[in-house]
Amino acid sequence: MAGPARLRCIIRRLYHAAPWGPGGKRDPMSQTPQTTPTAPGPVDPHPLDCDEATFHLIPRLVAEHGEVVRVAAPNLDRPTWVIADPADIRRVLVSNHRNYVKGVGFERVEMLLGNGIIVSDGAFWRRQRTMIQPAFSRGNMPRFFDMVREVTLRLKEEWLAAAREGGEIDITRATSDYALEIILRLIFSDDLEFFVDQEGINPFLFLTEDPSRDLRVAMKFRQLLKQVRVLIERRRETGERPFDLLSMMMDARASRTEEAMSDKELVDEVATLIIAGHETSAGTLNWAWTLLSGDEDSARALREESRRVCPDGELTYEHLEELVFTRQVLDETLRLYPPVWLFTRRAVEADELGGHAIEAGDNVFLSPWLTQRLERLWPEPDAFRPERFAPGRDEAREDQAFFPFSAGPRRCIGEFFSYVEMRTHLALLAPVFRLRLVPGQDIALEPAINLRTKHNLRMTVEALQP
Ligand code: HEM
């Protein structure tokens, strides 16, 4: 046998004999590998990661093996279960969530986010989450809405200028810059200017210019966060507490000890909120405009709703709840293109999912991308149909058939705010503009940490008569 072929054969034999391979768990008393009878899955190994190969692989695995699949991934130290059934997702995220901690991949995110609440687990996570949660209370939303409206009205002026020139916009860049400014103002309010003053421009802009989240970007980001420490120090010295997340986190106290967050903890949580709150909303709005560009009926219905709810264009916070179809458009967008398309957990102790035995230490992969396109749950799953989310329709839907924000105690902390942001965006812009994709563009997907378009998309912008 030739060298590489022989090597492949040896690797294959070793893999098949491994305790996590298709030979199943070894009985310590026996030399014969025992196949776990309840382990559906491919015989061949498949590397699994937050990447394009996995993105295309998991729907295929589920179609071939069912909604609980056991995969031996040579890049992971333990067997991995890909689960798609909402009942199992509910068990992992909600009813038995104590048995599942954050899984593979999060250690990489740690370079970027430190030990912020996306990454942390256990008592430390609980403490941090309890300290941050009140900042996202409903009571704070009207004031955050004022900021969002201001940023959106500025974008409207930019698009009006683009329309006058008969021009095009880069919608991917526009929604990314927009969501970045909003998350930065949510955290720093007008002290965003503090950073701009240091550098001459908004130094966080590289996060939209360079969508990769590799080591280089992580280092640049962490470097920039040193300025956040300077700002924290300045606020402490002056006693200034503008209305924003940073002030609220600085003043938060742990319930039993009355301790405040250390500077390092504050900086990690700031980093977490920037990254978690930016690309997710940006990606959703990018996709919403893209889907609307191909569906004139939905675009018209959206426009008419905004004009009906808010005829003079003076949008208030109270109007948002009335924007029912707008919410449906956003939910259908999140169903088709969930920004967080994959999340991972690790079983602490043995459990059972879909009648299959999971062992302590096994990896579990959950994917809104996968479940939210299952035909048995979503007929014609690839079609954009906002009416799926019409009032009353969710009663017939299984919980966790739709879970773009996760579920249970680790559910997204920014969910409510993100709807405030995204509804305001569509309510103020959809009645004024018709955006159409410039034909001939490649609308490929790039599934990395977030699911985004591989290329920036260009759109023609036309200002509509009221
Ligand atoms: C369309 C918008 C958004 C989507 C789809 C989304 C989705 C998610 C998902 C799926 C998780 C759970 C991940 C996991 O458990 O592995 C999560 C967690 C989180 N999100 Fe969001 N998110 C969005 C917007 C935001 C915004 C605007 C913020 C901040 C203002 C935010 C902050 C966070 C934080 C801090 C966590 C960690 C929560 C914890 O573990 O306790 N997200 N998000």
Side-chain angles (χ1 to χ4, degrees):
M1 206 183 299
R6 188 177 153 72
L7 190 63
R8 267 201 305 276
C9 179
I10 293 170
I11 291 173
R12 211 177 159 84
R13 231 182 301 139
L14 282 173
Y15 157 74
H16 275 260
W20 39 260
K25 195 187 164 212
R26 269 179 193 280
D27 174 352
M29 302 305 287
S30 148
Q31 289 308 301
T32 329
Q34 289 182 345
T35 306
T36 311
T38 55
V43 172
D44 289 333
H46 292 280
L48 291 171
D49 209 336
C50 219
D51 60 12
E52 199 161 342
T54 301
F55 180 76
H56 294 298
L57 174 73
I58 52 178
R60 200 154 49 74
L61 290 179
V62 166
E64 285 169 15
H65 302 280
E67 291 177 17
V68 180
V69 186
R70 182 181 189 272
V71 185
N75 60 320
L76 303 176
D77 60 340
R78 297 280 315 166
T80 300
W81 297 83
V82 176
I83 60 169
D85 184 335
D88 297 323
I89 290 162
R90 197 156 51 251
R91 177 155 183 90
V92 172
L93 296 178
V94 186
S95 58
N96 197 23
H97 70 87
R98 282 202 176 76
N99 193 46
Y100 293 92
V101 290
K102 291 275 174 153
V104 292
F106 282 98
E107 66 288 347
R108 254 177 289 154
V109 185
E110 220 171 324
M111 283 184 321
L112 202 62
L113 308 181
N115 201 26
I117 57 168
I118 280 197
V119 173
S120 60
D121 261 313
F124 181 72
W125 165 78
R126 197 164 303 110
R127 168 189 186 261
Q128 296 298 100
R129 174 99 190 196
T130 317
M131 285 169 93
I132 300 170
Q133 187 82 51
F136 287 90
S137 70
R138 304 283 160 105
N140 284 342
M141 289 299 148
R143 286 184 73 183
F144 289 144
F145 163 79
D146 290 343
M147 174 276 288
V148 173
R149 188 184 46 199
E150 211 179 298
V151 177
T152 314
L153 289 174
R154 256 188 277 126
L155 184 60
K156 179 175 157 186
E157 290 309 312
E158 280 176 35
W159 286 7
L160 282 172
R164 274 196 297 276
E165 287 158 20
E168 289 176 10
I169 53 168
D170 173 341
I171 189 67
T172 312
R173 180 66 201 251
T175 47
S176 180
D177 286 355
Y178 169 81
L180 182 68
E181 177 163 2
I182 286 183
I183 190 67
L184 292 173
R185 291 202 183 276
L186 187 70
I187 300 169
F188 304 120
S189 55
D190 289 346
D191 273 342
L192 176 57
E193 268 58 58
F194 165 85
F195 298 99
V196 178
D197 289 349
Q198 317 274 311
E199 310 265 336
I201 54 156
N202 177 355
F204 291 97
L205 271 180
F206 76 95
L207 291 171
T208 82
E209 283 155 6
D210 184 350
S212 66
R213 297 289 176 259
D214 56 17
L215 183 62
R216 195 178 40 82
V217 168
M219 285 171 70
K220 195 166 170 184
F221 186 53
R222 296 304 301 187
Q223 188 63 23
L224 184 52
L225 291 172
K226 290 188 180 157
Q227 292 299 324
V228 175
R229 281 185 189 241
V230 178
L231 178 62
I232 292 169
E233 200 43 52
R234 201 181 72 171
R235 284 193 183 184
R236 277 211 193 96
E237 276 165 18
T238 60
E240 282 171 19
R241 292 291 189 275
F243 185 81
D244 58 31
L245 296 186
L246 180 60
S247 293
M248 295 175 207
M249 292 196 295
M250 286 176 67
D251 289 341
R253 295 290 176 269
S255 51
R256 266 188 295 115
T257 60
E258 282 297 307
E259 267 174 353
M261 285 190 220
S262 70
D263 283 7
K264 155 102 176 57
E265 287 160 3
L266 280 168
V267 168
D268 285 354
E269 300 305 356
V270 164
T272 298
L273 290 165
I274 294 175
I275 298 295
H278 166 224
E279 262 196 69
T280 43
S281 302
T284 309
L285 292 173
N286 185 36
W287 280 115
W289 285 112
T290 304
L291 291 163
L292 289 167
S293 151
D295 181 352
E296 186 47 46
D297 288 345
S298 295
R300 192 179 317 106
L302 188 69
R303 205 178 297 140
E304 283 171 4
E305 179 177 77
S306 293
R307 288 176 181 166
R308 186 171 30 80
V309 168
C310 170
D312 57 3
E314 295 290 323
L315 190 74
T316 65
Y317 180 70
E318 286 68 34
H319 285 136
L320 296 185
E321 272 303 302
E322 293 176 54
L323 296 165
V324 176
F325 186 71
T326 310
R327 166 81 187 229
Q328 287 173 227
V329 166
L330 290 167
D331 283 347
E332 180 65 346
T333 304
L334 285 162
R335 182 186 71 80
L336 285 168
Y337 299 104
V340 187
W341 65 277
L342 179 74
F343 30 111
T344 64
R345 295 291 189 266
R346 193 181 279 271
V348 178
E349 286 175 13
D351 195 15
E352 200 181 290
L353 292 176
H356 305 293
I358 309 289
E359 291 188 27
D362 282 4
N363 300 306
V364 181
F365 278 28
L366 309 88
S367 166
W369 156 257
L370 187 63
T371 302
Q372 293 172 185
R373 288 195 186 225
L374 285 181
E375 190 142 24
R376 76 172 175 90
L377 301 170
W378 304 96
E380 294 189 62
D382 299 336
F384 175 62
R385 299 243 172 85
E387 56 275 18
R388 294 181 208 267
F389 289 92
R393 296 274 296 265
D394 53 346
E395 281 151 27
R397 200 170 51 233
E398 212 182 324
D399 284 348
Q400 280 73 55
F402 177 69
F403 67 113
F405 294 94
S406 185
R410 304 295 302 241
R411 192 180 181 116
C412 176
I413 206 170
E415 175 177 351
F416 192 86
F417 173 77
S418 78
Y419 279 115
V420 169
E421 172 184 7
M422 297 188 296
R423 271 204 246 200
T424 304
H425 178 97
L426 290 182
L428 286 172
L429 301 176
V432 184
F433 300 102
R434 179 180 288 129
L435 301 189
R436 288 214 174 91
L437 269 178
V438 173
Q441 294 179 86
D442 176 12
I443 311 182
L445 291 167
E446 185 161 84
I449 292 179
N450 282 315
L451 179 60
R452 51 177 183 244
T453 50
K454 191 168 265 167
H455 312 286
N456 282 20
L457 300 177
R458 284 174 298 114
M459 291 202 172
T460 56
V461 50
E462 179 194 345
L464 300 165
Q465 296 306 320

